[in-house]
Amino acid sequence: KAGVTQTPRYLIKTRGQQVTLSCSPISGHRSVSWYQQTPGQGLQFLFEYFSETQRNKGNFPGRFSGRQFSNSRSEMNVSTLELGDSALYLCASSPPASGGADTQYFGPGTRLTVL
Amino acid sequence: AQSVTQPDIHITVSEGASLELRCNYSYGATPYLFWYVQSPGQGLQLLLKYFSGDTLVQGIKGFEAEFKRSQSSFNLRKPSVHWSDAAEYFCAVASGGTGNNRKLIWGLGTSLAVNP
């Protein structure tokens, strides 16, 4: 089975712009979670989608949003980028029998740099 | 609030030596505990997990971890480290409710370097 894929792998944007990141989960997985990873804050949970509905949400401002499509692919959008949004954004999918945070499989991440 | 602490930011061991990475958690109920590894440029890979039952858990790549409720710990061990084990190791706890309401809370990670 193919693993979790994320596109693009690297992205450079300037302050004020917006960005959309994409995640394709493992085939058959319906839960997709997003995380932000920075050296200072570590891994922080952004949100989780299941069957096209947001099921859980972390403590991020409304500039961070996401959605999930009927094929379980998910996108994450960040509007009005700030320098502090520079991070590795990780996507993870979970098997259908597990709860949202159980046994997650991660993609390689998208490295976002905001200049 | 739930939290995970990995006291050691950086550890260096010699190849062939034993390894123990520490993880302490704060959580009121029975936790779901995980260890993940992240190699440079890679995503996170699950090493092992504890949900219930036997408190000594075996994982991939020769790793094991022991859940000690009395110490709120879930330390990761390996009897003989290989150079390819150099990576960042993360401990996490699934908390915040039951079933689909659980979220992963992460430690800040321990960076492992292996000397030849």
Side-chain angles (χ1 to χ4, degrees):
Chain A
K1 259 186 187 178
V4 177
T5 58
Q6 292 186 245
T7 57
R9 292 292 309 277
Y10 301 91
L11 209 48
I12 299 175
K13 293 286 187 179
T14 56
R15 279 180 298 173
Q17 288 187 308
Q18 74 165 15
V19 67
T20 298
L21 312 182
S22 181
C23 171
S24 293
I26 293 171
S27 177
H29 290 193
R30 292 163 63 193
S31 167
V32 174
S33 297
W34 288 89
Y35 295 86
Q36 181 194 65
Q37 185 178 22
T38 58
Q41 300 293 320
L43 279 145
Q44 296 185 85
F45 172 76
L46 280 155
F47 28 65
E48 183 216 354
Y49 285 86
F50 180 84
S51 292
E52 303 179 64
T53 300
Q54 189 179 86
R55 189 160 69 175
N56 274 307
K57 189 177 187 302
N59 297 321
F60 278 80
R63 301 186 297 108
F64 292 82
S65 63
R67 59 177 176 168
Q68 187 179 33
F69 301 94
S70 58
N71 61 359
S72 294
R73 189 176 70 85
S74 177
E75 286 183 348
M76 190 197 113
N77 184 276
V78 188
S79 63
T80 319
L81 284 166
E82 301 176 359
L83 294 179
D85 297 333
S86 294
L88 180 67
Y89 290 89
L90 292 163
C91 165
S93 70
S94 298
S98 69
D102 304 344
T103 316
Q104 297 190 333
Y105 296 85
F106 284 80
T110 294
R111 172 74 62 186
L112 171 65
T113 301
V114 182
L115 302 176
Chain B
Q2 297 90 353
S3 65
V4 176
T5 302
Q6 294 181 246
D8 304 305
I9 296 173
H10 186 85
I11 284 181
T12 300
V13 299
S14 298
E15 191 169 17
S18 63
L19 172 70
E20 181 170 33
L21 302 182
R22 296 183 291 164
C23 172
N24 295 99
Y25 66 90
S26 171
Y27 185 62
T30 300
Y32 284 28
L33 293 159
F34 306 81
W35 274 100
Y36 282 85
V37 60
Q38 186 176 36
S39 299
Q42 303 292 317
L44 289 147
Q45 182 182 21
L46 178 67
L47 285 174
L48 47 77
K49 62 187 178 186
Y50 171 79
F51 285 1
S52 64
D54 193 350
T55 56
L56 185 61
V57 181
Q58 301 297 321
I60 62 170
K61 305 185 179 188
F63 285 93
E64 67 176 26
E66 186 171 12
F67 170 58
K68 292 186 178 180
R69 183 187 302 276
S70 61
Q71 298 176 21
S72 297
S73 69
F74 188 57
N75 294 347
L76 182 71
R77 301 194 295 249
K78 186 169 184 178
S80 178
V81 171
H82 188 261
W83 64 267
S84 61
D85 293 325
E88 190 89 15
Y89 291 80
F90 293 91
C91 180
V93 60
S95 66
T98 58
N100 298 327
N101 289 324
R102 282 191 289 269
K103 306 174 189 179
L104 277 179
I105 308 297
W106 298 81
L108 291 179
T110 296
S111 177
L112 174 66
V114 180
N115 286 332

